[in-house]
Amino acid sequence: MTTPKEVEIKLELAPASLPQFKKIPLIRALRAPQRSATEVSVYFDTDTHKLRKHGLMLRVRRTGDRYIQTIKVSGNSGLFERDEWESEIASEAPDLDLARGTALEPLISDKFRRQLKPMFETRVRRTVYPLTNGTHAIALTVDRGKIDTGVRTAPLCEIELELERGNQTELFEIARELTCALPAQLALKSKSERGYELLDGEQGAPVKAAAVDLVAGTSTRDAFKIIGRACLKQVVGNEPALLKGEPEGVHQMRVGLRRLRAAMSLFGGILGDPQTAAIKAELKWLAGELAPARELEVLMKRVLAPVKKRHARWDGVPSLSRDFAERHEAALARAQNAVKSARFRALTLEVAAWLETGEWAKPQDDLVRDRGDLPIEVAAAEQLNRRRKKIRKRGKALARLDAQRRHRLRIQAKKVRYAAEFFAGVFPGRRAAKRREKFSSALERLQDGLGELNDIVVHEELITAMGVRRARTSRKRAFAAGLLTGREDARLDAAMAAATAAYAEWAKVKRFWR
């Protein structure tokens, strides 16, 4: 029996944009009447969030006198596609007898029935605009209302595009038209996920990388989709924290970008089309917009803060500190402006469309098609072997490398570390897991050591440039800059020793892949 699936794209927007929505030619041209109704949806789970931990959602939605029970499950099927089971029930209480044959059935027991309780609810005014032509039928829904946990509330305003007939390409075309006309942002969190965040008091918190659920036997092409989706979710998920000015939000969005770009490098053999090249260019733009804010944050925290605490009266230090604070504020504003821009909104949607329906997934070249069909364990082992050799070759000469070549080695180490994380489930077994843990831990220490060396170089360049920025205070500023760069330079030998030791340790670790 085929599992029913929900295929939809969500877009978030401010309520103030709704009048603009109604003026879009796509909406004004509709002949079928819109339908509006008030809906109250109650989400159920146990106190230990058993359903959430299993990637399940149980909801009862009331519209007028009708109650609809919905069970959804998230997994590797996609960011926009979920297994879904719906049943009309008699009352507001879930009917678990109707959960037979669904993903929820294995969890049902007498104890589970007793523990199940309401967690939070959504109250929305829902308006449905049917979009239908000869090739597709799409339900365009506007939801405006709130999420309520009983303790906290959060506003809710989003557009949902649900595919009823047709394909995902047509769904993304409609989403593009909407995002071109409105300041609407791709949303990758479900109402359920947002409700749990509100329940935990973590709304808008920085989002770290989630584990990638890959298993042996998955095709290389499908493996890249799964990895890319996880990376994109981290990038989009850190938008709220970054816009609030949280340094960790900037950092974690950069991590998501680096992981995505690393994955594109690791899977380069199946990604040689022009569309991918355009995506790479836009990701590089975004990384460049975020980098100054993170670099200055690290400098102020690790270099200036300790000096200000111990040597606040050094000539030039207060002036230099103030200027760095202003520069960091400007860099953060630059990052926030980038993420608030139409370019960012278009980029996230295009990356999503590229992952789900891109040219790379339908190659015309037989060789590229064969590479994509390979089991991921074969492609992963080839990549890990090849890149491990590169690191070993360059790492042997670490002490003789200049700053630029050390930086390239650091990037290689970072890619291999991400690869070890991506491919964790591809090489199962206790022995492989122990070796992978040693491999990743040693590689992380090498990456940290090389990162410290790179930070020293970056900090010295930033401090030197700032020290001579204003002629009026050039002597004092130059003196303070000299003291700071001297302190950074003094760390060089220790950082080099730590990186060299980390490399020697990593080089001895056995491979965890076959």
Side-chain angles (χ1 to χ4, degrees):
M1 180 179 176
T2 303
T3 301
K5 291 188 181 294
E6 172 194 59
V7 181
E8 70 176 14
I9 296 174
K10 291 178 182 286
L11 303 171
E12 287 185 82
L13 74 164
S17 299
L18 289 178
Q20 188 178 346
F21 164 79
K22 295 178 181 179
K23 297 177 182 178
I24 297 174
L26 174 72
I27 304 303
R28 295 182 66 180
L30 289 177
R31 295 181 179 179
Q34 65 192 54
R35 304 186 306 274
S36 296
T38 298
E39 297 185 342
V40 179
S41 299
V42 181
Y43 293 76
F44 292 82
D45 206 338
T46 67
D47 284 331
T48 58
H49 294 178
K50 190 171 185 177
L51 293 179
R52 182 188 190 185
K53 291 173 183 176
H54 283 81
L56 293 167
M57 182 277 288
L58 173 62
R59 177 189 73 203
V60 175
R61 173 172 288 167
R62 176 172 59 82
T63 305
D65 295 329
R66 297 181 66 205
Y67 295 91
I68 303 296
Q69 175 175 283
T70 304
I71 298 166
K72 294 185 184 183
V73 58
S74 58
N76 286 342
S77 56
L79 291 173
F80 312 103
E81 187 175 313
R82 298 172 183 85
D83 296 343
E84 179 186 60
W85 297 265
E86 285 195 338
S87 308
E88 185 162 357
I89 58 178
S91 69
E92 61 188 16
D95 185 346
L96 296 184
D97 291 336
L98 295 178
R100 292 191 179 94
T102 75
L104 177 57
E105 184 177 10
L107 299 184
I108 298 175
S109 64
D110 290 341
K111 182 179 179 181
F112 177 79
R113 290 175 183 269
R114 290 194 303 272
Q115 292 178 337
L116 196 64
K117 60 190 287 189
M119 291 284 111
F120 50 87
E121 68 177 26
T122 62
R123 292 176 175 268
V124 301
R125 183 66 177 172
R126 166 165 287 197
T127 304
V128 181
Y129 302 81
L131 307 178
T132 306
N133 64 22
T135 61
H136 69 248
I138 295 170
L140 189 161
T141 302
V142 177
D143 283 347
R144 183 176 181 182
K146 65 179 180 178
I147 306 174
D148 190 348
T149 68
V151 177
R152 303 182 184 92
T153 63
L156 185 66
C157 187
E158 61 184 25
I159 298 172
E160 293 182 4
L161 295 168
E162 184 171 358
L163 188 64
E164 297 177 341
R165 186 183 75 247
N167 57 56
Q168 283 196 18
T169 300
E170 294 168 319
L171 202 63
F172 278 108
E173 287 175 358
I174 300 295
R176 285 190 187 97
E177 187 170 348
L178 292 174
T179 54
C180 284
L182 296 168
Q185 171 62 51
L186 177 68
L188 298 180
K189 291 179 182 176
S190 65
K191 291 182 178 72
S192 175
E193 288 175 294
R194 294 180 62 184
Y196 281 113
E197 286 182 351
L198 192 63
L199 199 64
D200 296 339
E202 295 180 353
Q203 189 182 29
V207 177
K208 293 186 176 182
V212 175
D213 187 15
L214 271 185
V215 295
T218 305
S219 74
T220 295
R221 189 178 299 109
D222 287 342
F224 175 69
K225 280 189 178 184
I226 292 167
I227 293 168
R229 291 163 181 159
C231 297
L232 177 61
K233 194 162 187 179
Q234 185 181 10
V235 172
V236 174
N238 279 290
E239 179 204 11
L242 188 151
L243 292 180
K244 287 196 296 184
E246 291 192 25
E248 188 64 13
V250 179
H251 175 55
Q252 290 300 332
M253 184 178 284
R254 290 186 75 216
V255 170
L257 279 172
R258 287 200 302 263
R259 286 168 63 86
L260 179 54
R261 296 173 75 190
M264 294 171 76
S265 175
L266 291 165
F267 288 84
I270 62 171
L271 300 173
D273 59 283
Q275 187 184 21
T276 296
I279 293 290
K280 283 182 179 179
E282 286 301 281
L283 293 174
K284 186 176 181 180
W285 160 76
L286 181 57
E289 295 299 295
L290 303 185
R294 177 60 180 172
E295 289 172 353
L296 287 163
E297 171 68 25
V298 172
L299 184 148
M300 293 175 66
K301 183 177 180 180
R302 298 183 184 175
V303 180
L304 282 170
V307 170
K308 282 179 66 179
K309 187 175 181 179
R310 298 179 184 177
H311 310 287
R313 296 185 180 181
W314 279 4
D315 282 347
V317 168
S319 172
L320 207 59
S321 296
R322 285 193 298 272
D323 278 1
F324 268 117
E326 290 175 3
R327 189 170 175 184
H328 173 254
E329 187 176 339
L332 180 58
R334 174 182 171 183
Q336 291 171 327
N337 288 336
V339 170
K340 287 187 288 188
S341 70
R343 187 173 181 178
F344 176 81
R345 295 194 296 271
L347 171 59
T348 54
L349 182 62
E350 288 307 318
V351 171
W354 168 72
L355 285 170
E356 303 301 320
T357 65
E359 297 170 11
W360 69 273
K362 305 177 289 289
Q364 301 301 310
D365 185 277
D366 291 342
L367 178 59
V368 176
R369 188 184 307 111
D370 290 344
R371 286 176 186 158
D373 291 339
L374 277 175
I376 186 55
E377 58 268 32
V378 176
E382 188 275 330
Q383 282 291 322
L384 287 165
N385 278 325
R386 185 167 66 85
R387 293 174 185 274
R388 177 174 175 266
K389 287 178 182 177
K390 283 187 177 182
I391 296 176
R392 288 173 68 91
K393 181 179 179 180
R394 293 178 180 174
K396 289 177 182 178
L398 175 56
R400 300 191 300 275
L401 299 180
D402 60 22
Q404 188 174 14
R405 287 187 291 174
R406 286 199 307 264
H407 181 57
R408 287 200 292 267
L409 175 59
R410 173 173 169 256
I411 291 173
Q412 282 293 333
K414 192 177 295 183
K415 287 180 180 178
V416 174
R417 183 182 162 207
Y418 289 152
E421 294 173 359
F422 294 153
F423 304 139
V426 174
F427 305 102
R430 185 177 299 177
R431 184 182 180 187
K434 289 182 69 175
R435 285 186 175 181
R436 185 179 64 251
E437 185 177 348
K438 288 182 179 180
F439 183 89
S440 296
S441 295
L443 196 57
E444 184 176 5
R445 285 189 286 275
L446 173 59
Q447 186 182 325
D448 288 345
L450 293 169
E452 190 76 2
L453 290 167
N454 185 67
D455 285 347
I456 290 170
V457 173
V458 171
H459 293 167
E460 287 182 343
E461 290 175 351
L462 289 171
I463 294 166
T464 300
M466 188 65 80
V468 296
R469 189 175 172 187
R470 293 180 185 168
R472 183 171 59 86
T473 56
S474 60
R475 179 179 293 181
K476 290 183 179 181
R477 292 170 66 86
F479 173 75
L483 290 173
L484 292 174
T485 54
R487 286 170 63 88
E488 286 297 280
D489 194 56
R491 297 195 300 119
L492 195 59
D493 289 343
M496 178 62 75
T500 303
Y503 168 76
E505 179 188 356
W506 173 80
K508 296 175 184 177
V509 178
K510 294 181 179 180
R511 293 176 296 179
F512 64 87
W513 59 95
R514 295 185 292 273

